[in-house]
Amino acid sequence: MATLRVPDVVPSPVEDAEQLRKAFEGWGTNEGLIISILTHRNAAQRKLIQQAYAETYGEELLKSLDKELSSEFERAVLLWTLVPAERDAFLANEATKRFTSSNKVLLEIATTRSSHDLLLVKQAYHARFKKSLEEDVAYHTSGDLRKLLVPLLSTYRYEGDEISVPLAKKEAKILHEKISDKAYNDEELIRILSTRSKAQLNATFNHYNNEFGNAINKDLKADKDNEFLLLLRQTIKSLTVPEKYFEKVLRLAINKLGTDEGALTRVVTTRAEVDLHRIKQEYHRRNSVPLDQAIVKDTSGDYEKFLVELVGHGDA
């Protein structure tokens, strides 16, 4: 369930484009106007506004925003304005150019998007970067990480609810054997995680818990400093309980000494039209404070106003 609040009567894309142009002209930028328009338009509407703006003014809206805005506010607005597949393609490409922490971003895109959405991301990646997402990820990673990430990004999982109980029992046993032997990079373990449907994986992990007395992620905590184990735990969590995965990303982003704006912006802009409602409920339950209040306490200015408009107040 999404939290995005779109008005009942939406101005035409041409009217919105005119208002945005007005916000850029004159003395100083009217950030309030930009926020009031863009945070209340869905992806399809934002795409039409971009087209109307380019046709009317002969310049890309993203270029105008880039010229007029700055810092974290600029990044949040630019990411939000992009349609989801283009946004994910941009974030994935950026992640291939950075060091270890960005592996989490690639995993996030691979495991929390639907099969269809992941396919759209890969098509958008082709169009923008003239190569495939998989080849870039394979080139910029190595060893166990490559062994895990490339299949996760290459897969097209079944999205239905049908499951096989015998298969869940069989594969829970395989997973338990591999984890007991510390064969964390075994191809069977990676095959199961990278090809089975999310419903089937849920059944397998439930059976693992019932049969062997521990949640699978607890057994994967054997070596707390092992980066690959951390990524395996993230894979399992984000495939099966994405709202809990995203809640943790937000908790770490907001509660550190100094905010991790990159993570905060990414979660809010990528989930506002997907499951931010559930993530907010999970955040409130886990931290005893609504997400919008945590954001207000930790951020400021136009960046704060923009995020709070997207997040909405309380758990609503």
Side-chain angles (χ1 to χ4, degrees), residues 108-120:
E108 192 178 290
I109 291 168
T111 54
T112 64
R113 287 14 175 196
S114 71
S115 297
H116 180 64
D117 287 345
L118 186 56
L119 185 63
L120 293 178

Side-chain angles (χ1 to χ4, degrees), residues 180-209:
S180 299
D181 294 342
K182 300 196 168 167
Y184 304 123
N185 62 356
D186 188 274
E187 3 186 282
E188 281 294 271
L189 187 148
I190 288 172
R191 170 189 67 78
I192 293 165
L193 292 183
S194 62
T195 63
R196 294 297 180 204
S197 75
K198 292 175 183 181
Q200 184 66 39
L201 286 172
N202 259 315
T204 301
F205 300 148
N206 285 336
H207 188 75
Y208 184 106
N209 196 355

Side-chain angles (χ1 to χ4, degrees), residues 1 8 11-12 41 50 63 70 131 134 141 185 193-194 200 212 227 235 246 251 268 303 306 309 313:
M1 186 179 174
D8 294 334
S12 73
R41 303 292 183 270
Q50 286 187 65
K63 281 222 170 76
S70 62
K131 45 195 171 165
E134 295 92 331
T141 54
N185 62 356
L193 292 183
S194 62
Q200 184 66 39
F212 305 111
E227 169 79 4
T235 301
F246 284 116
R251 180 165 23 104
V268 172
Y303 178 57
F306 185 80
E309 275 303 301
H313 297 279

Side-chain angles (χ1 to χ4, degrees), residues 33-286:
L33 185 56
I34 296 168
I35 293 169
S36 71
I37 295 171
L38 291 177
T39 58
H40 299 286
R41 303 292 183 270
N42 63 32
Q45 291 162 343
R46 296 193 306 277
K47 187 168 187 180
L48 291 173
I49 293 169
Q50 286 187 65
Q51 288 168 353
Y53 190 93
E55 283 163 17
T56 310
Y57 304 107
E59 179 175 70
E60 297 297 323
L61 174 59
L62 293 165
K63 281 222 170 76
S64 297
L65 289 165
D66 187 35
K67 276 195 303 200
E68 297 294 331
L69 310 179
S70 62
S71 65
E72 296 305 333
F73 176 53
E74 177 192 343
R75 181 175 170 85
V77 174
L78 289 176
L79 280 177
W80 174 245
T81 304
L82 286 167
V83 297
E86 289 172 5
R87 181 197 302 134
D88 279 347
F90 170 80
L91 288 168
N93 180 259
E94 188 180 64
T96 61
K97 294 173 175 164
R98 291 189 179 170
F99 300 112
T100 49
S101 64
S102 51
N103 294 330
K104 292 179 182 175
V105 177
L106 292 167
L107 257 190
E108 192 178 290
I109 291 168
T111 54
T112 64
R113 287 14 175 196
S114 71
S115 297
H116 180 64
D117 287 345
L118 186 56
L119 185 63
L120 293 178
V121 173
K122 292 192 272 193
Q123 288 171 343
Y125 201 97
H126 285 186
R128 178 159 183 181
F129 301 108
K130 311 302 177 210
K131 45 195 171 165
S132 78
L133 173 55
E134 295 92 331
E135 72 178 293
D136 270 358
V137 170
Y139 180 70
H140 288 284
T141 54
S142 60
D144 290 346
L145 179 63
R146 181 194 285 167
K147 215 170 163 183
L148 175 68
L149 262 178
V150 174
L152 282 172
L153 285 164
S154 307
T155 195
Y156 191 83
R157 290 176 203 274
Y158 175 62
E159 292 275 337
D161 294 327
E162 292 83 355
I163 59 156
S164 159
V165 174
L167 184 65
K169 289 181 175 176
K170 183 183 172 190
E171 295 195 333
K173 190 164 179 277
I174 293 170
L175 290 171
H176 187 256
E177 282 168 6
K178 301 304 176 191
I179 292 168
S180 299
D181 294 342
K182 300 196 168 167
Y184 304 123
N185 62 356
D186 188 274
E187 3 186 282
E188 281 294 271
L189 187 148
I190 288 172
R191 170 189 67 78
I192 293 165
L193 292 183
S194 62
T195 63
R196 294 297 180 204
S197 75
K198 292 175 183 181
Q200 184 66 39
L201 286 172
N202 259 315
T204 301
F205 300 148
N206 285 336
H207 188 75
Y208 184 106
N209 196 355
N210 296 338
E211 184 71 18
F212 305 111
N214 258 349
I216 185 168
N217 266 2
K218 200 168 177 195
D219 285 346
L220 285 168
K221 277 187 178 162
D223 178 359
K224 284 202 166 80
D225 297 328
N226 184 320
E227 169 79 4
F228 185 65
L229 282 194
L230 182 72
L231 293 172
L232 277 182
R233 293 198 302 273
Q234 181 192 327
T235 301
I236 289 165
K237 195 173 192 178
S238 53
L239 280 169
T240 54
V241 279
E243 66 279 6
K244 290 190 174 178
Y245 162 74
F246 284 116
E247 181 281 323
K248 188 174 183 186
V249 175
L250 289 172
R251 180 165 23 104
L252 294 174
I254 295 171
N255 275 352
K256 285 194 317 189
L257 298 164
T259 315
D260 179 354
E261 289 91 355
L264 177 57
T265 299
R266 185 181 80 248
V267 175
V268 172
T269 56
T270 60
R271 308 316 286 180
E273 294 180 270
V274 187
D275 56 359
L276 192 55
H277 185 69
R278 284 201 297 276
I279 297 165
K280 282 165 63 178
Q281 289 176 330
E282 184 64 26
Y283 187 91
H284 198 170
R285 188 188 68 75
R286 185 79 171 61

